[in-house]
Amino acid sequence: MLTTEYALWAIVVLFLVLVCAMIPTFVQIRRTAKQAEDFLRLVELELRPTLIELKEVVGSLNRVSDHVAGGLKKMDGTLEAIAEVGQTVRDVNQLAQHIVFPRLITGAAFMTGLRVGLKTLIVRLAGRR
């Protein structure tokens, strides 16, 4: 039983040493927790105005984006009208290329031939006199 008693006393002594070693650790943990609490309180006081300003900025951005969306809706009709005008110009261009230009070229060739023919006829008629 003597060995058992020594073992029990050794356990008790080790437990006391452990408890004594833990006391400064718990004191330091308490100080750290207090400092962290003070720091968080300070940060909260400093961040509160920043968060309020941030909320105002987000609100302003939301209003601006709503105005931009409204302006884009208004411009949508204008852009559609511009697209229609562009399509009309394309249609007129195709009409001119397929109908007017060939006839214009044919008419110009006819007029050139007629002019040259008339000049030739006048020259020959004038030469016979």
Side-chain angles (χ1 to χ4, degrees), residues 1-15:
M1 273 221 199
L2 192 59
T3 331
T4 308
E5 286 181 19
Y6 288 137
L8 284 174
W9 281 110
I11 291 174
V12 168
V13 168
L14 287 175
F15 184 73

Side-chain angles (χ1 to χ4, degrees), residues 3 5 14 16-17 19 30 45-46 52-53 56-57 59 68-69 77 84-85 89 95 100 102-103 111 114-115 121:
T3 331
E5 286 181 19
L14 287 175
L16 284 174
V17 168
V19 168
R30 185 175 179 199
L45 290 175
E46 289 182 5
I52 291 171
E53 289 176 14
E56 291 173 1
V57 167
V68 168
E84 287 177 14
V85 167
V89 168
L95 180 70
V100 175
R103 290 185 181 170
M111 291 302 290
L114 186 62
R115 188 182 58 177
L121 182 64

Side-chain angles (χ1 to χ4, degrees), residues 7-122:
L8 284 174
W9 281 110
I11 291 174
V12 168
V13 168
L14 287 175
F15 184 73
L16 284 174
V17 168
L18 180 66
V19 168
C20 289
M22 291 299 290
I23 289 175
T25 305
F26 285 137
V27 170
Q28 184 60 41
I29 290 173
R30 185 175 179 199
R31 284 185 199 150
T32 305
K34 176 75 171 135
Q35 288 176 351
E37 188 177 314
D38 292 341
F39 176 73
L40 288 175
R41 191 173 299 122
L42 178 67
V43 167
E44 180 184 357
L45 290 175
E46 289 182 5
L47 283 181
R48 184 164 292 168
T50 305
L51 291 174
I52 291 171
E53 289 176 14
L54 186 61
K55 284 181 183 179
E56 291 173 1
V57 167
V58 168
S60 296
L61 286 174
N62 285 337
R63 285 190 297 277
V64 167
S65 67
D66 290 341
H67 288 303
V68 168
L72 288 176
K73 285 181 184 177
K74 290 177 183 176
M75 287 196 55
D76 191 32
T78 304
L79 293 175
E80 286 178 10
I82 290 171
E84 287 177 14
V85 167
Q87 184 62 40
T88 304
V89 168
R90 263 189 242 111
D91 292 343
V92 168
N93 187 18
Q94 286 180 351
L95 180 70
Q97 285 180 352
H98 294 294
I99 296 174
V100 175
F101 288 156
R103 290 185 181 170
L104 192 63
I105 291 170
T106 304
F110 177 75
M111 291 302 290
T112 302
L114 186 62
R115 188 182 58 177
V116 169
L118 285 175
K119 279 185 182 180
T120 305
L121 182 64
I122 291 173

